[in-house]
Amino acid sequence: MARPVIPDLELWPIGNCQISALIDRQGGIVWSCIPRVDGDPVFCALMNGEERDRGTWRIDLVGQVSATQEYIRNTPILLTRLEAEDGSAVEVLDFCPRHEGKGRMYRPVAIGRIVRPVAGSPRIRMVLTPMRDYGAAPAETTRGTNHIRYLLGPETLRLTTDAPVGYILEGRPFRIEQDLHFFLGPDEPFDGPLRGEVRRMEQATSGYWQRWVRGLATPFEWQAEVIRCAITLKLCQHEETGAIVAALTTSIPEAPHSQRNWDYRYCWIRDSYYTVQALNRLGALDVLEKYLAYLRNIVDAAKGGQIQPLYSVMGDAELHETAAPALAGYRGMGPVRIGNAAYLQVQHDCYGQIVLPTVQGFIDQRLLRMADERDFASLEEVGEMAFAMHDQPDAGLWEFRTRKEVHTYSAVMGWAACDRLAMAADWLGKPERADMWRARAEAIRARIESAAWVENGEHYGASFESGYLDASLLQMIELRFLAPDNPRFLATFAAIEKQLRRGDFMLRYAAEDDFGMPETAFNVCTFWLIEALHLVGRSDEARGLFATMLSHRTASGLLSEDLDYVTGELWGNFPQTYSLVGVINCAGLLSKPWRDVR
């Protein structure tokens, strides 16, 4: 079977919360950024059009006719089996080391690969072609007896291996008669015997992830689906700082030739809120704790001022948007963008999305570091901004680039910020502060009820200025602004279904935006639809739609940002945290409880 020339999103992430890599259906690494998720894509074939031999790390089996893949249970360690027409076969085990070592977490900028002959007399050819400067030039190489150094500008990687170095450099086919080991990592001599150390790291990494999964409070139904999404969400956290990126990729278009090619390798305050909320429901407090530390640094740097919608994983505020001219783009559909101009936007919902997860720090006794009085004082500064900005125009959660309105979702998030601050003040024994924040929440509620309600349409509008609808209005029940049986919510839900639902899928909005009319469904909005259906009593329908969404996952069990509601093809950056959150939340909501298991 020939390798597919056209890239697709049948990709398998591996990672260690420092770096990550995406592996295609033939076992080739086609995307990986160094030294972290927002760095230079050393492996960039995913964005290289049909130039599949530039920026990849493949093991080509001579005469290959099939490939099968699966994760080692409850880990992000991938096993790929390649079979040839003569019956020969190899297995490739891929992982990024992550385990305890010397009293700290060992998570190097490194990828380990083990290639095993498992049938016949297989012959393989290794294609290892790292690039630098976003695909502009191949890495320069120097070689030693058992290693190859790849010079990538400011970074240098070293491949240590027990395979023939000359065969790798020349791309020459050779017979594999015993297990081969590869460690692509820091430019330093490999410590210890390669074979034993790589196998030890793989086993320790497997043990770490399986123990982490063991601590998750999964629903009874859809456990495997939830576990895979939870592991992948954790891979989206940059553990060094606690930041959580929206996706591991840049510039996979939301729809073919749409120019909606955004760089999602950054920490959106909004996306991160939904991610920690979902993982917290599973009991994954380690992700929440690290993210709260990241937020505290963001709040400190803002000094009571405006919070941006997104930051780099290191907390950098400026994310200038440029293009990478050397990369043709996903399926040749450029541009490939670096950075994201949305950092310049005003999005007032972010204040609520800082307050909501942070409030847990005052209440949850399981946390290693409980929030204190100083944290509450800092959080009140965020609340002051939420109250001041709740009825001011912004770009909204969909990040419109050419217009501003007072978006209802942003106003509701402002209400939620004040409401949760009142709850935190009660918990801390501050009745006067609680009364003040509760009064502010009620003032915002009154403003929303009067300004967002569209009398002629008999529904809430997406903004105070206009009566169009968007799917974020479904979050009014998730945020506890309205009860599911509220007549105004039911009327709005009916209007949203009529205007935005496309069969089993949901648009985020149906109005023309900066790039024309939306062409694909937004996956998280479909999950919001499923949640709403269940909460208003249409649970059978919700379960049916949930099964449909699960059927559109990749073989790796994951989802991207968007879906063509006609063909079912996935589009948009991958894996998308929003979409994985949707799987976790809907599974928890729809699953039968453990106590009912017979």
Side-chain angles (χ1 to χ4, degrees), residues 187-310:
D187 184 27
E188 56 193 36
F190 191 85
D191 186 20
L194 179 68
R195 177 188 181 93
E197 279 300 300
V198 170
R199 292 188 173 194
R200 182 194 65 79
M201 284 190 282
E202 183 270 324
Q203 289 297 309
T205 299
S206 177
Y208 165 81
W209 284 105
Q210 290 175 346
R211 287 189 297 273
W212 185 80
V213 167
R214 188 182 179 192
L216 298 179
T218 59
F220 171 70
E221 296 180 88
W222 306 293
Q223 290 183 54
E225 293 86 345
V226 167
I227 287 170
R228 181 53 50 199
C229 290
I231 288 173
T232 308
L233 287 179
K234 184 169 174 63
L235 292 182
C236 290
Q237 182 167 58
H238 185 67
E239 188 168 77
E240 182 179 351
T241 63
I244 300 169
V245 297
L248 299 178
T249 56
T250 176
S251 304
I252 299 176
E254 296 178 13
H257 304 287
S258 65
Q259 298 290 303
R260 301 175 190 260
N261 298 17
W262 311 121
D263 191 348
Y264 277 6
R265 301 170 300 158
Y266 303 109
C267 184
W268 266 260
I269 301 300
R270 178 186 314 111
D271 300 54
S272 300
Y273 154 70
Y274 282 106
T275 298
V276 297
Q277 177 199 54
L279 289 177
N280 187 49
R281 287 170 173 166
L282 299 178
L285 286 182
D286 57 332
V287 176
L288 171 65
E289 285 183 314
K290 292 180 176 65
Y291 179 62
L292 290 180
Y294 178 81
L295 277 187
R296 286 191 288 269
N297 282 313
I298 294 298
V299 171
D300 287 349
K303 296 181 173 63
Q306 180 177 311
I307 301 293
Q308 292 182 187
L310 69 155

Side-chain angles (χ1 to χ4, degrees), residues 159-470:
L159 177 73
T160 304
T161 182
D162 49 13
V165 169
Y167 289 163
I168 296 172
L169 284 170
E170 296 178 16
R172 185 187 299 271
F174 63 96
R175 178 180 289 195
I176 173 173
E177 297 180 335
Q178 60 183 358
D179 292 3
L180 299 178
H181 304 81
F182 304 85
F183 186 84
L184 182 66
D187 184 27
E188 56 193 36
F190 191 85
D191 186 20
L194 179 68
R195 177 188 181 93
E197 279 300 300
V198 170
R199 292 188 173 194
R200 182 194 65 79
M201 284 190 282
E202 183 270 324
Q203 289 297 309
T205 299
S206 177
Y208 165 81
W209 284 105
Q210 290 175 346
R211 287 189 297 273
W212 185 80
V213 167
R214 188 182 179 192
L216 298 179
T218 59
F220 171 70
E221 296 180 88
W222 306 293
Q223 290 183 54
E225 293 86 345
V226 167
I227 287 170
R228 181 53 50 199
C229 290
I231 288 173
T232 308
L233 287 179
K234 184 169 174 63
L235 292 182
C236 290
Q237 182 167 58
H238 185 67
E239 188 168 77
E240 182 179 351
T241 63
I244 300 169
V245 297
L248 299 178
T249 56
T250 176
S251 304
I252 299 176
E254 296 178 13
H257 304 287
S258 65
Q259 298 290 303
R260 301 175 190 260
N261 298 17
W262 311 121
D263 191 348
Y264 277 6
R265 301 170 300 158
Y266 303 109
C267 184
W268 266 260
I269 301 300
R270 178 186 314 111
D271 300 54
S272 300
Y273 154 70
Y274 282 106
T275 298
V276 297
Q277 177 199 54
L279 289 177
N280 187 49
R281 287 170 173 166
L282 299 178
L285 286 182
D286 57 332
V287 176
L288 171 65
E289 285 183 314
K290 292 180 176 65
Y291 179 62
L292 290 180
Y294 178 81
L295 277 187
R296 286 191 288 269
N297 282 313
I298 294 298
V299 171
D300 287 349
K303 296 181 173 63
Q306 180 177 311
I307 301 293
Q308 292 182 187
L310 69 155
Y311 296 85
S312 81
V313 296
M314 300 304 293
D316 297 322
E318 295 187 1
L319 304 172
H320 299 291
E321 188 174 297
T322 60
L327 294 177
Y330 180 75
R331 299 187 184 175
M333 299 177 191
V336 173
R337 290 191 167 96
I338 308 164
N340 198 305
Y343 84 92
L344 295 168
Q345 292 185 353
V346 174
Q347 296 177 30
H348 297 317
D349 57 317
C350 63
Y351 300 110
Q353 287 140 0
I354 287 178
V355 171
L356 267 62
T358 305
V359 162
Q360 185 174 342
F362 301 101
I363 299 170
D364 196 329
Q365 298 293 317
R366 297 171 297 171
L367 295 171
L368 293 175
R369 181 198 181 277
M370 297 290 292
D372 56 25
E373 298 280 343
R374 290 170 299 177
D375 296 316
F376 185 71
S378 295
L379 201 59
E380 283 195 302
E381 293 183 357
V382 179
E384 293 286 353
M385 289 295 292
F387 180 69
M389 297 295 148
H390 77 272
D391 59 354
Q392 299 300 304
D394 70 355
L397 81 162
W398 307 124
E399 300 182 344
F400 297 119
R401 294 197 168 200
T402 59
R403 70 175 189 263
K404 290 184 179 180
E405 295 177 322
V406 181
H407 288 92
T408 304
Y409 176 84
S410 297
V412 172
M413 268 295 176
W415 169 86
C418 296
D419 178 74
R420 303 316 192 266
L421 278 167
M423 182 178 70
D426 279 333
W427 184 266
L428 294 171
K430 297 177 179 292
E432 293 182 359
R433 305 305 295 167
D435 289 344
M436 186 272 286
W437 286 113
R438 198 165 287 115
R440 288 186 169 184
E442 287 307 310
I444 297 176
R445 175 185 288 278
R447 180 77 173 115
I448 293 169
E449 294 290 2
S450 64
W453 184 253
V454 181
E455 292 292 348
N456 293 338
E458 295 187 342
H459 59 74
Y460 290 103
S463 78
F464 289 8
E465 293 87 348
S466 56
Y468 77 96
L469 290 156
D470 81 28

Side-chain angles (χ1 to χ4, degrees), residues 481-551:
F481 183 82
L482 296 175
D485 60 353
N486 181 283
R488 284 194 166 191
F489 175 75
L490 292 173
T492 302
F493 185 26
I496 287 173
E497 279 201 275
K498 182 177 180 180
Q499 289 193 26
L500 303 185
R501 187 168 172 177
R502 300 293 185 270
D504 292 337
F505 310 107
M506 180 71 79
L507 303 180
R508 50 188 162 178
Y509 48 82
E512 189 168 331
D513 63 15
D514 314 332
F515 292 84
M517 293 295 292
E519 302 174 62
T520 52
F522 205 68
N523 288 328
V524 73
C525 296
T526 302
F527 287 118
W528 291 348
L529 167 66
I530 293 167
E531 292 173 7
L533 287 169
H534 172 73
L535 292 172
V536 302
R538 295 160 62 184
S539 296
D540 289 344
E541 187 178 356
R543 288 178 69 94
L545 292 190
F546 187 49
T548 297
M549 285 302 294
L550 292 179
S551 73

